[in-house]
Amino acid sequence: MKAVISSSPPPPLYIPNSSPWKPKSPITTTTLLIPRASKSPNQTKRAQRAKANAKGFSGTPAPTTKETPATQNSGKGSGADDDEIPQVVFDRMIVRILVSVGTPMATGLALLKIFSIFKEQGLWDVPIWLPLLTTLLTFGVSGFGIPYGALSTSWDEKSKGSLLGLEEVQRNWVEMWREEDESNN
């Protein structure tokens, strides 16, 4: 009984200073993000705001290049980077991209639906890896549909090209890398 009466909770620990080092000035997010600008009476608030540059954190602006208009477009191999795609070729390219992306994606979604019907009806206990594998394959192939659709299109306005565009892919692939090599030289 004496032990219960005489026992009292220990006094709370008192730590007067948790750190022996005192910070010279408090660091806040505003001091880290906004540099201090020298204030002069001629500067406005707009001029004192921090300005972001597109090329990293440097304060120097990026060098500008003088653009010259491309006045001599003599056709293929003229060296102009701003060659426009004719509207006929662009329309063909869009159709081929939509088909080459949409067909594998629709196939993948249809297979997922078929697998779920088989499982719900009890016709076949579909292993879990099979829908995963078919989804990876069909959606992966649809990802390659964009470059294939662009490369399998005949870039000639007058020529429509073949159904699958395999000959056009071979021709356009070489043409694309040749133009890239010429622009690097």
Side-chain angles (χ1 to χ4, degrees):
M1 192 70 153
K2 286 184 180 181
V4 174
I5 296 174
S6 66
S7 70
S8 62
L13 292 175
Y14 176 71
I15 301 174
N17 192 0
S18 62
S19 172
W21 300 282
K22 293 183 181 181
K24 292 182 180 179
S25 64
I27 298 175
T28 61
T29 57
T30 56
T31 58
L32 291 176
L33 297 177
I34 301 172
R36 294 182 188 224
S38 61
K39 293 183 180 181
S40 66
N42 296 337
Q43 289 181 334
T44 62
K45 287 185 180 182
R46 186 174 196 171
Q48 292 175 357
R49 287 189 206 156
K51 295 181 181 177
N53 292 330
K55 298 283 186 178
F57 296 107
S58 68
T60 60
T64 58
T65 59
K66 186 176 181 180
E67 295 182 15
T68 58
T71 57
Q72 298 176 352
N73 287 338
S74 63
K76 284 188 175 180
S78 67
D81 291 334
D82 297 336
D83 290 338
E84 291 187 15
I85 299 173
Q87 189 64 35
V88 176
V89 175
F90 182 75
D91 293 340
R92 268 190 257 144
M93 198 178 292
I94 293 297
V95 169
R96 282 200 183 250
I97 289 172
L98 289 176
V99 168
S100 60
V101 169
T103 303
M105 190 173 292
T107 303
L109 291 173
L111 284 173
L112 284 176
K113 185 65 176 172
I114 289 170
F115 290 150
S116 71
I117 290 172
F118 282 168
K119 194 146 187 143
E120 288 172 359
Q121 298 291 329
L123 299 174
W124 181 35
D125 189 23
V126 180
I128 194 71
W129 58 267
L130 189 60
L132 176 67
L133 182 67
T134 57
T135 303
L136 281 173
L137 287 175
T138 56
F139 286 13
V141 169
S142 73
F144 286 113
I146 295 173
Y148 178 76
L151 289 174
S152 67
T153 304
S154 174
W155 291 350
D156 184 21
E157 291 181 57
K158 299 169 188 160
S159 172
K160 195 168 189 175
S162 63
L163 181 65
L164 293 178
L166 296 177
E167 299 86 18
E168 286 81 10
V169 168
Q170 292 173 351
R171 189 177 331 119
N172 293 338
W173 183 261
V174 172
E175 177 72 22
M176 180 181 65
W177 285 108
R178 185 178 50 159
E179 288 177 4
E180 181 71 24
D181 290 340
E182 287 175 0
S183 69
N184 287 339
N185 290 336

